[in-house]
Amino acid sequence: MKVLIAAAAAATGVLLLSGCATMNEDQCMVGDWGGQGWRDGAAGYPTSRIDDHAKACAKYGVAPNMSAYLASREDGLRTYCTWENGFRQGRQGNSYHGVCAPAEERDFVPAYEDGRRIHSVEQAVSAAQSALNSAISRIDDREDKLDAKERELRQEGLSNEDRERIRNRIREVRGELRDARRDARQAEENLRYAEIEARATISAIGGRYGVW
């Protein structure tokens, strides 16, 4: 179960920090560095984000206005660094890059960690359900193939070689069907445990973050 949760958490979407094309030509030429700083702060980007913008705009001969950017980024961070947003960012599976001041982190980080806990168990449930759906789909597929091969075997005029070939394939499909059914049973068990852990985690966190 711990492996399932860890795998699901690792697969979650995170806040992507791309170093290329963070701004297009029009944005660079307009030069709204205050607005860009506020948006980056409100999104929780670190100060290194300005380096990405500088690279994107260098090809157009535009350099960032650092003072306007950094001042407005601080305003944006005040929107980002709240416990409500901390919980929201954690539950969405986004990464936290240590951008909040120590005083703000006292509320932000615990809420963020609670959100991450819920995100992890919800992703584990989703992964287990997906595995079960996949196994069920394989069962349906192998059952259809088995029916088709058994009908083929009943046809008239088949040579002994043809019948042996079909029988061999029937044995293969039956083995694949057994494997798919075994996988489905395991997936059902994983899903049951994932749902139990999700309910326990959500119950433990309770309604401290309002309706979500």
Side-chain angles (χ1 to χ4, degrees), residues 42-62:
Y45 283 107
T47 53
S48 60
R49 184 69 168 175
I50 189 64
D51 296 331
D52 297 334
H53 298 326
K55 292 175 184 177
C57 293
K59 66 182 71 174
Y60 308 116
V62 176

Side-chain angles (χ1 to χ4, degrees), residues 15-27:
L15 186 62
L16 298 178
L17 301 180
S18 172
C20 61
T22 58
M23 296 175 65
N24 60 36
E25 182 177 4
D26 289 341
Q27 291 170 322

Side-chain angles (χ1 to χ4, degrees), residues 74-93:
E74 290 300 315
D75 292 336
L77 284 175
R78 281 191 282 274
T79 298
Y80 179 84
C81 296
T82 64
W83 65 263
E84 296 96 336
N85 188 56
F87 179 73
R88 181 165 53 251
Q89 293 295 321
R91 188 160 182 242
Q92 291 173 353

Side-chain angles (χ1 to χ4, degrees), residues 59-76:
K59 66 182 71 174
Y60 308 116
V62 176
N65 183 328
M66 294 293 291
S67 59
Y69 178 90
L70 293 175
S72 294
R73 177 178 174 274
E74 290 300 315
D75 292 336

Side-chain angles (χ1 to χ4, degrees), residues 5 23 25 36 38-39 46 56 60-61 64 66 74 77 97 108 113 115-116 121 123 138 151 154 173 181 185 187:
I5 291 177
M23 296 175 65
E25 182 177 4
Q36 190 63 55
W38 188 94
R39 289 188 291 273
Y60 308 116
M66 294 293 291
E74 290 300 315
L77 284 175
H97 299 282
F108 181 94
E113 291 175 347
R116 287 289 296 188
V121 296
Q123 288 296 104
R138 284 190 287 119
R151 288 195 302 270
R154 293 193 294 268
V173 174
R181 286 171 173 164
R185 289 192 296 271

Side-chain angles (χ1 to χ4, degrees), residues 10 17 24-25 29-30 42 45 52 54 67 75 83 86 97 104-105 113 115 125 130 152 158 160 162-163 172 187 211:
L17 301 180
N24 60 36
E25 182 177 4
M29 299 306 294
V30 168
Y45 283 107
D52 297 334
S67 59
D75 292 336
W83 65 263
H97 299 282
E104 295 167 330
E105 282 191 333
E113 291 175 347
V125 170
S130 178
E152 185 179 353
L158 294 174
N160 290 336
D162 288 338
R163 291 186 184 280
E172 290 177 357
V211 177

Side-chain angles (χ1 to χ4, degrees), residues 8 29 40 44 87 95 98 117 127 149 185-186:
M29 299 306 294
D40 287 353
F87 179 73
S95 296
R117 287 172 60 201
K149 285 300 176 182
R185 289 192 296 271
Q186 183 62 58

